[in-house]
Amino acid sequence: MPWDADDLATIGGAEELQVSSVRPDGTDRPFVTIWGVRAGDDLYIRSAYGPDNPWYRRARRAGIGRIRADVVDRPVSFTAVDAGDEATQQAVDAAYHAKYDRFGPQIVGTVTGPASHETTLRLDPR
């Protein structure tokens, strides 16, 4: 199921997103604030500090959760993107640079480039 155009615009345009994964008992974990981008008609998030970041590990393990941005609050699936999918990874890098470069290369560098590609998750509506 594709994103609704309004949700795609709102979530993709939000400065920050809040993400929550689902616990094994089905309850939502507390939200964590992160950066996210839109590339084409898809939404992506990455772990700024690699695959050991707790929110990222929980999202990968659960596979489902919620995303909030502005007034939008939606259930999502977290779909891992192959680090070798060069076209997608480059599009996501470009989207992060376009949206966040004003914060400086040290900060944007935590979510761009080859080291960050292994933590790319696509947000799919569910």
Side-chain angles (χ1 to χ4, degrees), residues 6 32-33 35 42 59 96 113 121:
D6 289 336
V32 174
T33 302
W35 282 353
D42 291 310
Y96 270 104
L121 298 175

Side-chain angles (χ1 to χ4, degrees), residues 14-20 29-36 45-49 53 55-56 58 66-70 96 100 111:
E15 182 75 20
E16 295 178 325
L17 307 177
Q18 293 184 312
V19 63
S20 168
R29 292 187 180 279
F31 282 93
V32 174
T33 302
I34 62 171
W35 282 353
I45 57 176
R46 287 179 171 163
S47 175
Y49 299 103
N53 196 318
W55 77 260
Y56 175 80
R58 291 188 298 264
R66 299 194 73 76
I67 190 79
R68 286 194 313 207
D70 297 327
Y96 270 104
Y100 297 111
V111 289

Side-chain angles (χ1 to χ4, degrees), residues 21-44:
S21 58
V22 174
R23 293 182 179 101
D25 68 4
T27 61
D28 292 335
R29 292 187 180 279
F31 282 93
V32 174
T33 302
I34 62 171
W35 282 353
V37 296
R38 175 182 177 175
D41 288 335
D42 291 310
L43 300 168
Y44 297 93

Side-chain angles (χ1 to χ4, degrees), residues 57-72:
R57 286 193 330 248
R58 291 188 298 264
R60 283 295 306 265
R61 186 172 43 247
I64 59 171
R66 299 194 73 76
I67 190 79
R68 286 194 313 207
D70 297 327
V71 298
V72 176

